[in-house]
């Protein structure tokens, strides 16, 4: 971690500490939040990545990492800058029961608390104009309401 890229450092709240302990010790991380939605029409992945990075720069939670090793108290570090790309996967065949498979696969990957943003977006292209999107983030920084608002902001930026 580069000191010049640190914007702020915050202690964890009691709730965040609980999420961290569970993340470290549990077999299955119950703090993962997965939003899934379908998009119809053609997507410009370059423009969507640009919109994502504009959204990241506007919200500290999307530039955060959590640290607990070799320090007295766990902290959240907000980075000044962070760029992220959307993972894009083409899928051959139909959508039958695909969403549950996708969500399970992404849940097994989990979230690395030391990776900025504590989230990732994966877009599965089902046809030239049909996509299923999954955004994986963690409750240590975001709740469902906030996550939905961020996704809405992302697509508003994309459309503009």
């Amino acid at each position: 971690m580069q000191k010049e890229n640190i914007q702020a450092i915050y202690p964890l709240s009691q709730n965040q500490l609980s999420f961290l302990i569970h993340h470290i010790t549990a077999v299955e991380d119950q703090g993962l939040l997965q939003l899934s939605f379908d998009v119809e029409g053609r997507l410009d992945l370059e423009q969507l990545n640009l919109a994502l990075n504009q959204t990241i720069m506007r919200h500290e939670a999307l530039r955060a990492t959590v640290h607990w090793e070799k320090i007295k108290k766990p902290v959240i570090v907000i980075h000044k800058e962070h760029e992220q790309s959307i993972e894009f996967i083409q899928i051959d065949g139909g959508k039958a029961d695909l969403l549950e498979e996708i969500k399970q696969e992404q849940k097994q990957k989990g979230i690395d608390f030391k990776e900025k943003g504590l989230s990732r977006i994966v877009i599965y292209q089902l046809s030239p104009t049909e996509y299923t999107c999954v955004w994986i983030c963690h409750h240590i920084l975001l709740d469902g309401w906030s996550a939905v608002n961020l996704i809405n902001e992302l697509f508003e930026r994309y459309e503009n």
Side-chain angles (χ1 to χ4, degrees):
M1 178 177 4
Q2 298 172 346
K3 188 176 181 179
E4 58 273 0
N5 192 32
I6 295 175
Q7 178 177 324
I9 299 175
Y10 301 113
L12 268 63
S13 69
Q14 285 299 95
N15 285 343
Q16 288 171 322
L17 188 56
S18 296
F19 278 119
L20 175 62
I21 291 168
H22 191 271
H23 173 78
I24 294 168
T25 61
V27 174
E28 187 175 313
D29 189 348
Q30 296 299 318
L32 283 178
L33 176 63
Q34 292 186 348
L35 299 175
S36 57
F37 51 95
D38 294 332
V39 175
E40 290 184 10
R42 295 201 179 270
L43 283 181
D44 181 336
L45 194 56
E46 186 177 320
Q47 287 300 314
L48 194 55
N49 276 315
L50 179 63
L52 172 63
N53 286 302
Q54 289 171 345
T55 305
I56 286 170
M57 290 309 297
R58 187 166 131 63
H59 298 281
E60 289 183 349
L62 299 177
R63 291 180 276 119
T65 52
V66 178
H67 301 270
W68 64 92
E69 297 174 323
K70 299 179 185 176
I71 56 177
K72 289 182 181 182
K73 292 187 178 185
V75 294
I76 293 174
V77 175
I78 308 299
H79 301 267
K80 291 178 185 173
E81 296 179 353
H82 168 57
E83 283 194 18
Q84 187 173 337
S85 294
I86 295 169
E87 187 177 346
F88 187 79
I89 300 171
Q90 270 189 298
I91 294 187
D92 297 326
K95 188 180 172 182
D97 299 322
L98 182 64
L99 185 56
E100 283 311 309
E101 247 180 78
I102 288 169
K103 288 173 81 174
Q104 194 59 32
E105 175 187 321
Q106 292 302 322
K107 193 174 189 176
Q108 287 176 351
K109 281 186 180 179
I111 293 287
D112 183 351
F113 277 18
K114 295 173 188 167
E115 291 292 321
K116 293 177 202 165
L118 302 182
S119 72
R120 75 178 164 276
I121 298 175
V122 184
I123 297 180
Y124 296 85
Q125 184 174 14
L126 308 172
S127 76
T129 59
E130 184 182 17
Y131 306 85
T132 291
C133 304
V134 179
W135 186 33
I136 301 91
C137 52
H138 203 281
H139 276 294
I140 199 163
L141 292 177
L142 297 169
D143 60 16
W145 180 81
S146 300
V148 168
N149 286 335
L150 288 173
I151 288 293
N152 286 336
E153 180 179 331
L154 167 65
F155 278 93
E156 283 174 19
R157 285 180 183 278
Y158 172 71
E159 288 173 3
N160 290 329

